[in-house]
Amino acid sequence: MPIDILLFKLLLCGIIFVVSLAVAAYATWGERKFAAVLQDRVGPSRAGPFGLLQPVADGVKMFMKEEMLPTKSNKFLFILGPCLFMLTACMVSTVIPWGGDLTIDGAVYSLQITDINIGILYMFGVVSLGIYGIMIGGWASNNKYSLLGALRASSQMISYEIAMGLSIIALVMMTGTLSLREIVLQQDAGVSYVVYQPLGFLIFLICAFAETNRAPFDLAECETELVGGYHTEYSSMKLGLFLFAEYINMFISSAIMVTLYFGGYNFPFQHEIAEALGLSANGLTIVQTLLFFGKVVGFILFFMWVRWTLPRFRYDQLMSLGWKVLLPLAIANIFITGIVMWALGLIANN
Amino acid sequence: MSLSNRSIVVSKKELSWSERLYLPAILGGMAITIKHLFKRKPTIKYPEQVREIAPVYRGQHVLKRDEAGAERCTACGLCAVACPAEAITMESAERAKGEEHLFREEKYARIYEINMLRCIFCGLCEDACPKEAIFLTDRIVPSSFTRGAEVFGKDKLVETVDNPIDVSVRQRPEVLEFKQDKKHYHNQTHLDKKAVRRSAH
């Protein structure tokens, strides 16, 4: 690998890491602000203009808080939990194509850290690892509430991962590839896969809510029953990491949904618009990346909107929705997709 | 029988197929929440914005001085007697020679305290005062961190000579007329009191 590519990738890693953190930080601000306006309140408004320095204040507060380690906890695992959760939250961003190619001095730089041909599999593998952070953290706390929260979180994640995976299979049948870059390029024509796979998208969306432990699936940390769920015993920045990683998860799953179903960084009539405006290829790439983030922010706002609308599911409702509704629906979706593709002659007979 | 005509008969019927989908209900709920995005927020950001108050608003008390700058209060105690919340307490003292510019009459309040946590801002102290000394103003009582700080002494109650507090807004003609009404005991001279007693017999 040429040294300039290596440097570019390192730079990109750094940028994406910082952007993920910034987006997550401002998602906390956005969440509070959005919740406030939906409830006819004003929300954070004291720290900086429009309360924009609130995430900084929150971060400082988290660092200043007293650090507590439960006496009878497993110290190593207790610290490993939030670290692992944060790590897995950040790892998925490596396969997401954040934009097209930048051409500088004849060399082509892709705005994707790595285009592995099993991108979707990698994504699923890492997302499922995320549960270990919660599980280890909850178990190491030596607290019944934490343990129950962790158990709920893991059973919920396992249940919904199946439906999520099956909803993706229908998509993969159409794309014929597991590379996220390829999938985005296939949506270049202006028709996103959400048009072909509305049911698959709906299932994926619901599962994404469950995977990120967001309301209405936030049973893992429901305050009314489990104090704080798996992070009951956590304090200071370790708690901060847990809460922060959740927002990164939300950001990443929004990015995945945009990539898979909403055309990634493509937008309708992009080439015509670029030609009309006289944009260079690099200019178009930058516009595409900005639009990609616009779409992601839209999804994050949607996550928040749902959170401040719907009440929490009961545990049995959660399980019956996952196993009795979403799983059969996902399987039906695969069959329907297969039949339609066969009828249209899109499947090679060999 | 329904009194309000607003009672609803609860039915526990099974959900229909479309209701069991939940999606229409979810979308309905989300439409409700998004409508609130465009609603006017009732919040008043206090230190910067101040709530509009009525012209007769009764806020923090002031002990007035007269035109020459002498304190009007004579520590008669009528305000303390009138106070339904028993928030006012005072101690009187005799004016010494050479203090004529400080106190209007021979007796004055050495200590005058209003417990702002007890006060209900009814304004009865103002009605009771025969010396036009105590008034409720349009000022908001500031908050504090301790209970003790909410007991306001003369340092906070008496207006300064250079910064007289305007109480004219609440002293409209009808209010002044009310204050001098002879049917109030403290407005009666001893002749009036005799007349009242005679009419009672």
Side-chain angles (χ1 to χ4, degrees):
Chain A
M1 188 184 276
I3 192 78
D4 59 325
I5 296 277
L6 190 67
L7 280 176
F8 178 77
K9 294 291 183 197
L10 275 177
L11 183 69
L12 194 63
C13 281
I15 290 174
I16 288 173
F17 182 64
V18 171
V19 166
S20 313
L21 292 188
V23 168
Y26 275 91
T28 63
W29 172 83
E31 172 104 58
R32 294 170 65 172
K33 207 76 182 166
F34 200 68
V37 290
L38 288 190
Q39 296 169 352
D40 295 342
R41 294 184 286 116
V42 173
S45 63
R46 294 287 130 174
F50 304 107
L52 274 172
L53 293 176
Q54 194 65 42
V56 183
D58 286 345
V60 170
K61 185 200 85 169
M62 282 293 186
F63 272 112
M64 301 307 241
K65 287 262 174 174
E66 188 184 354
E67 180 96 56
M68 304 258 260
L69 280 173
T71 354
K72 295 243 171 117
S73 68
N74 186 326
K75 303 277 181 305
F76 175 70
L77 291 181
F78 191 74
I79 295 169
L80 184 69
C83 301
L84 207 59
F85 197 41
M86 191 75 181
L87 178 76
T88 50
C90 292
M91 265 168 73
V92 187
S93 57
T94 49
V95 290
I96 294 171
W98 302 98
D101 294 332
L102 281 177
T103 314
I104 303 165
D105 283 343
V108 178
Y109 301 100
S110 162
L111 284 181
Q112 183 186 17
I113 294 172
T114 172
D115 178 29
I116 46 179
N117 57 6
I118 50 155
I120 291 180
L121 279 185
Y122 168 85
M123 186 186 90
F124 266 88
V126 174
V127 166
S128 344
L129 277 181
I131 188 56
Y132 283 99
I134 294 179
M135 195 66 215
I136 289 173
W139 186 78
S141 301
N142 192 21
N143 176 318
K144 290 182 184 68
Y145 292 119
S146 303
L147 186 63
L148 272 173
L151 277 175
R152 280 185 181 190
S154 32
S155 57
Q156 171 181 329
M157 273 199 165
I158 290 165
S159 311
Y160 279 76
E161 213 137 76
I162 297 168
M164 195 182 212
L166 289 177
S167 74
I168 284 289
I169 284 180
L171 182 79
V172 171
M173 282 162 68
M174 294 185 68
T175 61
T177 173
L178 288 171
S179 154
L180 290 171
R181 183 173 192 76
E182 286 288 314
I183 292 175
V184 171
L185 287 176
Q186 286 171 5
Q187 297 176 80
D188 195 348
V191 184
S192 305
Y193 275 121
V194 69
V195 180
Y196 299 123
Q197 288 283 337
L199 183 61
F201 170 67
L202 188 68
I203 297 167
F204 193 91
L205 182 72
I206 295 171
C207 294
F209 275 96
E211 290 285 303
T212 49
N213 278 327
R214 292 277 304 180
F217 302 105
D218 57 343
L219 286 106
E221 48 185 299
C222 53
E223 292 90 353
T224 40
E225 294 164 32
L226 296 179
V227 191
Y230 58 88
H231 54 60
T232 304
E233 291 287 346
Y234 281 89
S235 57
S236 184
M237 204 53 206
K238 288 205 285 296
L239 173 67
L241 272 186
F242 264 132
L243 302 181
F244 210 62
E246 271 193 45
Y247 281 94
I248 295 184
N249 268 337
M250 191 166 81
F251 169 58
I252 296 296
S253 55
S254 301
I256 291 171
M257 278 190 282
V258 170
T259 306
L260 292 180
Y261 288 101
F262 277 82
Y265 51 77
N266 295 305
F267 57 95
F269 309 112
Q270 48 186 350
H271 299 298
E272 287 84 348
I273 290 170
E275 212 168 296
L277 294 175
L279 274 179
S280 66
N282 284 351
L284 179 64
T285 302
I286 290 166
V287 171
Q288 281 174 333
T289 306
L290 291 178
L291 261 167
F292 180 82
F293 277 100
K295 289 182 195 176
V296 170
V297 169
F299 261 102
I300 291 177
L301 286 177
F302 181 73
F303 266 84
M304 293 172 182
W305 182 14
V306 168
R307 171 168 178 188
W308 297 104
T309 302
L310 296 182
R312 184 184 299 129
F313 273 84
R314 215 169 52 213
Y315 190 69
D316 60 316
Q317 292 171 329
L318 175 92
M319 282 295 144
S320 72
L321 178 71
W323 290 99
K324 291 188 196 160
V325 180
L326 292 182
L327 186 61
L329 266 183
I331 293 172
N333 190 37
I334 294 173
F335 272 98
I336 295 166
T337 310
I339 289 166
V340 170
M341 285 175 71
W342 174 75
L344 296 175
L346 291 169
I347 299 173
N349 287 316
N350 53 356
Chain B
M1 198 190 82
S2 168
L3 291 175
S4 61
N5 288 326
R6 274 184 289 178
S7 61
I8 297 164
V9 179
V10 178
S11 69
K12 289 186 82 178
K13 68 175 171 58
E14 289 279 300
L15 295 179
S16 69
W17 184 82
S18 65
E19 280 170 333
R20 264 189 292 130
L21 269 183
Y22 291 120
L23 284 177
I26 287 174
L27 291 178
M30 290 176 74
I32 289 173
T33 42
I34 207 72
K35 266 184 213 147
H36 284 262
L37 199 64
F38 309 105
K39 278 207 176 149
R40 232 184 106 255
K41 311 283 172 274
T43 310
I44 294 168
K45 298 179 179 174
Y46 168 58
E48 296 94 42
Q49 277 176 303
V50 180
R51 184 190 296 272
E52 272 186 46
I53 56 175
V56 292
Y57 183 87
R58 297 190 296 263
Q60 187 185 326
H61 317 63
V62 64
L63 284 173
K64 292 293 287 178
R65 292 172 186 274
D66 66 2
E67 302 74 33
E71 284 177 26
R72 303 183 75 106
C73 178
T74 60
C76 63
L78 281 173
C79 49
V81 173
C83 183
E86 300 189 4
I88 305 178
T89 177
M90 70 190 72
E91 230 170 74
S92 62
E94 203 173 330
R95 184 178 68 185
K97 264 214 159 47
E99 287 181 337
E100 285 82 1
H101 64 291
L102 290 176
F103 309 110
R104 192 178 161 89
E105 296 183 31
E106 293 85 22
K107 187 163 149 261
Y108 70 95
R110 190 170 62 83
I111 295 171
Y112 192 102
E113 284 178 347
I114 301 180
N115 187 337
M116 291 298 173
L117 295 175
R118 293 199 68 116
C119 180
I120 57 170
F121 301 95
C122 60
L124 287 184
C125 49
E126 184 182 319
D127 290 348
C129 185
K131 298 292 177 188
E132 305 273 306
I134 189 163
F135 289 96
L136 274 70
T137 62
D138 56 358
R139 296 172 300 170
I140 293 167
V141 178
S143 55
S144 54
F145 289 102
T146 59
R147 280 161 184 272
E150 285 294 325
V151 178
F152 281 22
K154 276 182 79 178
D155 54 328
K156 286 180 187 160
L157 291 171
V158 181
E159 64 178 0
T160 55
V161 181
D162 354 300
N163 185 22
I165 311 267
D166 179 31
V167 292
S168 59
V169 185
R170 299 193 56 232
Q171 303 307 304
R172 291 166 304 162
E174 53 268 41
V175 176
L176 282 174
E177 191 190 330
F178 173 77
K179 290 198 70 148
Q180 278 143 26
D181 194 334
K182 296 286 181 205
K183 77 174 181 244
H184 294 299
Y185 188 79
H186 65 263
N187 287 337
Q188 296 164 358
T189 61
H190 68 283
L191 288 172
D192 297 327
K193 282 171 191 164
K194 246 181 220 167
V196 170
R197 262 199 300 269
R198 212 173 294 135
S199 67
H201 283 303

